[in-house]
Amino acid sequence: MTEGSLASARLLVFRVGTLACAADVDQVREILPRLPTTRIPGAPPVVAGLVNVRGTLVTVVEGWRALGLPPLSPTPSPEAGTTGSTIILELGKAEDAASGGQQGHEGGAAGRKLIGFTVDEVMDMLAGGETTLEDRQGLPGIDPTLVRAVGRRNGELFIVLDIAALLGPILTS
């Protein structure tokens, strides 16, 4: 991602464990309360399961597992309920927009996939001018191929995730 496109990006900032992350708002379809999932037999551990979002089955990925982080707390008991949110992301949408939407209407829609990503807290939405973004750099404990940039908001660092690099391999497995 070039610095010019970073400067104009609108970002959704969220927390996964103790790590502050962000995703391009154009890839976010909606934010829902943490949804109970139906486990998929034989799916990798990073996949929490499936949820039904208004008639569409969506694969949900555990955010902390996808990022290679330790769980924030032990798995809560069923009586405690679920905490956090599920962010429904559209993979392929940002790439279509970047290419000027050259694909046909059907091809553009068919190329997009929905995937849920669990987070502990949705924190903020930022416009491009509200934060300082820098090219990605080495961060301890985070695979640099998953990071598009590093941002700073109110003195706190966050990483802008490369959603396609993070979730693409999971969808193909």
Side-chain angles (χ1 to χ4, degrees):
M1 177 172 226
T2 65
E3 192 163 330
S5 62
L6 281 175
S8 63
R10 293 178 310 147
L11 302 171
L12 178 71
V13 182
F14 50 88
R15 187 177 49 78
V16 177
T18 58
L19 182 65
C21 303
D24 194 328
V25 169
D26 291 339
Q27 292 180 297
V28 177
R29 180 168 177 186
E30 61 187 301
I31 302 167
L32 301 170
R34 180 82 183 248
L35 303 169
T37 59
T38 301
R39 185 79 183 131
I40 304 169
V46 70
V47 174
L50 290 173
V51 295
N52 184 332
V53 179
R54 287 179 291 291
T56 301
L57 289 179
V58 177
T59 302
V60 177
V61 171
E62 289 285 359
W64 62 273
R65 286 185 196 258
L67 291 169
L69 301 172
L72 187 59
S73 60
T75 306
S77 66
E79 300 83 35
T82 55
T83 60
S85 299
T86 301
I87 300 174
I88 306 297
L89 299 163
E90 280 187 87
L91 290 180
K93 187 173 186 177
E95 292 81 12
D96 290 347
S99 67
Q102 297 297 322
Q103 297 177 337
H105 179 66
E106 297 83 13
R112 293 189 289 246
K113 297 195 182 290
L114 295 180
I115 190 161
F117 188 75
T118 63
V119 301
D120 293 303
E121 177 186 12
V122 175
M123 296 166 41
D124 203 356
M125 189 183 106
L126 302 173
E130 296 178 11
T131 186
T132 303
L133 295 174
E134 301 166 5
D135 286 335
R136 66 180 177 191
Q137 49 189 291
L139 297 171
I142 300 295
D143 181 354
T145 62
L146 304 178
V147 178
R148 289 172 54 191
V150 177
R152 184 177 301 271
R153 177 181 78 68
N154 299 332
E156 181 181 352
L157 287 175
F158 64 89
I159 60 170
V160 180
L161 294 173
D162 185 338
I163 298 297
L166 178 65
L167 300 178
I170 295 167
L171 286 176
T172 59
S173 63

